[in-house]
Amino acid sequence: MENSKSKCADELLIRKIQDLIARVDRGMTKGYTDFLDPRQQILITRYFSNHKYIKMEFYGGYEEAERKICGIFNEWDETNRDKFPISILHIYWKSTKKISHRDILGSILGTGIRRDKIGDIIQQGEDAYVCVHKDISDYLTMHMNKVGSISVNLKYCHSMPIFYKESKLLTVVVASLRLDCILAAGFGVSRTKAVEAIRSSKVFVNWEPQEASSKDIKEGDIISWRGKGRIQLSNIIGSTKKSRIKIVIMKYT
């Protein structure tokens, strides 16, 4: 059921891209999507490999953004990231209560805004910075004044401050480079539990759903476990004397 919904969503996205390409081609203009998650970006990149006279670029408001808008241009157009329809909003508050990333997203969606109008949310202490589509930025500043029971303030920000993603490196020894082995080692669970998560469609490799526990993982591959977080196979050090494999996993916190 989950795969069927995903397939329908992918087909709808490609149809939207086809329509946008046609409008750009006819009107000699530029076109922009809403925010896309990494898997959608991969899907569009593959589709664009067949187009010679139309070019595209992804941008999410800052260099390291995960959720991005796709800009579509004629081949002679110069791409300008300042022209992407993205606003950065600074949300700030004073409270002894903690506010989470999920709280902020929930409050934004509670104003009636769709998820694809929202890009990355970067939080640090009592400040958060949110990339949003320009067509909803004024609406959000007028209608969002609380996150849960906590009063917040919103203002426009010229650019995203520099943040560094928190992560830690784990050096572990695994029996093989199979997905279930890497997942278990990275999240500190049993291999049985890792297999259950994979079979339950909760695990993604490079943002694509993966239900094969035996899939081989390569250096650089990113593994996401819905509800638990994300890890990356950072480095394969080599084999041990007992023919096991020593690896380095980066775990994002």
Side-chain angles (χ1 to χ4, degrees):
M1 186 67 175
E2 186 76 22
N3 288 340
S4 177
K5 286 183 179 179
S6 178
K7 184 178 180 181
C8 289
D10 289 348
E11 291 173 351
L12 179 60
L13 175 60
I14 291 301
R15 286 200 295 271
K16 288 181 178 178
I17 291 297
Q18 289 170 338
D19 291 342
L20 195 54
I21 289 173
R23 291 202 299 272
V24 169
D25 193 32
R26 286 196 306 268
M28 304 296 182
T29 184
K30 303 173 179 66
Y32 300 94
T33 66
D34 289 324
F35 282 96
L36 306 162
D37 63 36
R39 193 185 67 80
Q40 291 172 316
Q41 295 167 38
I42 292 171
L43 183 67
I44 291 175
T45 300
R46 289 173 180 167
Y47 177 77
F48 258 97
S49 64
N50 299 320
H51 288 269
K52 296 181 180 179
Y53 306 111
I54 297 290
K55 62 182 180 180
M56 59 127 184
E57 181 179 1
F58 293 107
Y59 183 56
Y62 66 108
E63 196 63 39
E64 302 300 323
E66 180 174 293
R67 292 176 61 82
K68 299 176 183 178
I69 285 175
C70 178
I72 299 174
F73 315 91
N74 281 291
E75 61 176 342
W76 55 81
D77 279 340
E78 289 187 12
T79 59
N80 184 345
R81 289 183 169 183
D82 290 336
K83 300 295 184 181
F84 274 69
I86 299 172
S87 295
I88 299 174
L89 300 180
H90 179 198
I91 305 176
Y92 54 102
W93 60 92
K94 293 290 183 183
S95 175
T96 56
K97 295 182 180 179
K98 289 186 178 180
I99 291 180
S100 69
H101 178 284
R102 182 176 294 182
D103 294 332
I104 295 168
L105 177 59
S107 295
I108 293 173
L109 298 180
T111 65
I113 292 173
R114 299 198 318 267
R115 181 68 179 96
D116 58 9
K117 294 293 184 180
I118 309 300
D120 285 8
I121 300 173
I122 306 296
Q123 183 183 355
Q124 193 170 68
E126 296 178 335
D127 292 272
Y129 295 84
V130 186
C131 298
V132 302
H133 198 289
K134 274 188 176 178
D135 62 11
I136 58 91
S137 58
D138 286 343
Y139 176 88
L140 190 58
T141 57
M142 288 188 293
H143 290 85
M144 182 177 169
N145 52 30
K146 283 191 174 183
V147 173
S149 61
I150 300 172
S151 296
V152 298
N153 297 291
L154 278 76
K155 67 179 181 181
Y156 284 94
C157 185
H158 178 68
S159 61
M160 181 69 79
I162 297 175
F163 293 104
Y164 297 96
K165 291 184 178 179
E166 295 184 11
S167 61
K168 60 180 179 181
L169 294 176
L170 308 172
T171 301
V172 296
V173 175
V174 293
S176 76
L177 296 177
R178 285 168 48 118
L179 173 59
D180 53 356
C181 292
I182 305 297
L183 189 68
F187 286 96
V189 300
S190 68
R191 195 162 163 186
T192 300
K193 191 168 183 178
V195 170
E196 288 175 356
I198 295 166
R199 289 176 178 172
S200 300
S201 302
K202 294 180 179 179
V203 177
F204 301 78
V205 177
N206 297 327
W207 295 282
E208 294 190 323
Q210 183 57 244
E211 295 183 4
S213 299
S214 60
K215 177 180 175 61
D216 284 331
I217 302 301
K218 306 182 297 297
E219 278 188 353
D221 282 351
I222 295 174
I223 303 170
S224 306
W225 185 342
R226 185 183 297 157
K228 284 191 174 290
R230 183 181 306 154
I231 60 175
Q232 182 179 33
L233 178 54
S234 180
N235 186 26
I236 300 172
I237 298 174
S239 299
T240 67
K241 293 179 179 179
K242 294 184 178 180
S243 298
R244 292 169 67 84
I245 305 170
K246 192 173 185 180
I247 62 173
V248 177
I249 292 174
M250 180 177 289
K251 186 171 184 179
Y252 296 97
T253 57

